[in-house]
């Protein structure tokens, strides 16, 4: 069965520090990969997605992620975090050949940003 | 998000009572999903639909049923609510999961408390 693992459940950074959130998945076939962000009290919003092509994906708000197929990883990065980036971040995977589109989510990582 | 609404936004109900949550979309998307979000578990798929009257179970379907009599509406029913079903429920839609670049759009969520 597919699974997604996010390495850190809670990350605390100072403003302007660099961010990297780890995501590993288990699935041997073609995958579509996503990072979602959830601000307090809100629904999930798409940060970025990978479906094919360049493994370095750029998203909104200065986020990027790199798909490393050999490591089954899709880590999220941002060079300099802002206080407004405090939120919960979810990595998700869908089988690329799927005709059901079921998303498997990681447990989530809560990012806290100190001023 | 535009095009997908969930109702109610909040609900408190008593153990043993039936509860129905509604997801309504105006995007004419074929695929609809119900997830529940719980701390430490991320989002987990309850049921999904790939067309009118076509539904299937997700990973945490016990105690839940769904119906889809129209493209735009996907109903989630808790036949007899239990405290373990206290959660935040999210609906999601996508156009064509086999082509992942369409992504998924999430509703604003329903916070359900079973007392």
């Amino acid at each position: 069965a597919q699974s997604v693992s996010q390495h850190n459940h809670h990350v605390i950074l100072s403003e302007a520090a660099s961010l990297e959130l780890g995501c590993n998945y288990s699935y041997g076939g073609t995958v579509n990969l996503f990072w979602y962000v959830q601000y307090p009290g809100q629904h999930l919003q798409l940060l970025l997605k990978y479906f094919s092509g360049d493994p370095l994906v750029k998203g909104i708000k200065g986020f990027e992620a790199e798909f490393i197929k050999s490591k089954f990883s899709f880590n999220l990065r941002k060079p300099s975090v802002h206080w407004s980036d405090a939120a919960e971040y979810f990595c998700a995977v869908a089988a690329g050949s799927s005709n059901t589109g079921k998303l498997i989510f990681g447990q989530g990582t809560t990012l806290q940003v100190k001023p | 998000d535009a095009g997908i609404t969930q109702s109610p936004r909040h609900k408190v109900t008593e153990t043993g009572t039936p509860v129905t949550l509604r997801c309504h979309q105006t995007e004419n998307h074929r695929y609809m999903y119900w997830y529940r979000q719980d701390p430490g578990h991320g989002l987990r798929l309850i049921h999904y639909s790939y067309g009118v009257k076509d539904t299937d179970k997700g990973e945490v379907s016990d105690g839940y049923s769904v119906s889809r009599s129209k493209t735009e509406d996907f109903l989630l029913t808790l036949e007899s609510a239990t405290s373990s079903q206290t959660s935040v429920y999210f609906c999601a839609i996508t156009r064509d999961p086999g082509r992942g670049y369409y992504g998924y759009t999430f509703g604003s969520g329903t916070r359900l408390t079973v007392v």
Side-chain angles (χ1 to χ4, degrees):
Chain A
Q2 296 176 53
S3 66
V4 179
S5 176
Q6 292 183 235
H7 307 155
N8 309 99
H9 292 162
H10 198 152
V11 172
I12 303 173
L13 294 174
S14 297
E15 201 163 18
S18 64
L19 169 72
E20 180 160 4
L21 302 182
C23 173
N24 284 91
Y25 64 93
S26 65
Y27 182 71
T30 304
V31 291
N32 297 320
L33 298 157
F34 306 84
W35 274 99
Y36 283 89
V37 61
Q38 185 179 33
Y39 299 103
Q42 296 189 25
H43 62 284
L44 277 74
Q45 300 173 41
L46 182 67
L47 272 179
L48 47 78
K49 60 183 182 284
Y50 171 82
F51 54 95
S52 65
D54 189 342
L56 185 61
V57 180
K58 294 194 184 298
I60 61 171
K61 304 185 181 186
F63 286 92
E64 66 177 30
E66 184 176 14
F67 170 50
I68 302 180
K69 188 174 181 179
S70 61
K71 295 185 177 180
F72 298 90
S73 70
F74 190 55
N75 292 353
L76 181 71
R77 298 194 292 251
K78 186 172 184 179
S80 175
V81 296
H82 186 261
W83 63 266
S84 60
D85 293 324
E88 191 161 18
Y89 293 81
F90 294 96
C91 180
V93 174
S97 58
S98 169
N99 60 355
T100 64
K102 293 185 285 184
L103 276 177
I104 307 298
F105 284 86
Q107 307 93 317
T109 298
T110 299
L111 173 64
Q112 184 180 339
V113 181
K114 298 187 296 184
Chain B
D1 267 22
I4 178 172
T5 56
Q6 291 184 232
S7 58
R9 292 295 309 276
H10 302 270
K11 186 168 181 67
V12 179
T13 192
E14 292 186 350
T15 298
T17 60
V19 177
T20 295
L21 310 182
R22 181 184 184 228
C23 177
H24 178 79
Q25 58 136 334
T26 57
E27 304 296 321
N28 202 35
H29 286 352
R30 183 177 163 194
Y31 295 84
M32 300 184 75
Y33 309 84
W34 276 109
Y35 289 87
R36 60 177 289 174
Q37 182 181 20
D38 303 289
H41 291 277
L43 280 79
R44 292 177 292 174
L45 182 65
I46 305 171
H47 281 278
Y48 65 99
S49 170
Y50 45 95
V52 174
K53 294 193 166 80
D54 292 324
T55 65
D56 205 348
K57 296 179 180 180
E59 60 179 310
V60 290
S61 59
D62 286 348
Y64 301 94
S65 63
V66 290
S67 67
R68 188 151 177 219
S69 58
K70 299 184 290 185
T71 297
E72 56 265 36
D73 288 324
F74 191 32
L75 304 180
L76 177 70
T77 297
L78 290 66
E79 302 290 348
S80 177
T82 67
S83 59
S84 64
Q85 293 175 312
T86 292
S87 186
V88 181
Y89 292 85
F90 285 100
C91 178
I93 61 174
T94 192
R95 184 186 307 177
D96 183 351
R99 306 172 76 180
Y101 52 81
Y102 285 123
Y104 299 75
T105 302
F106 283 82
S108 299
T110 294
R111 183 173 295 276
L112 177 68
T113 303
V114 183
V115 297

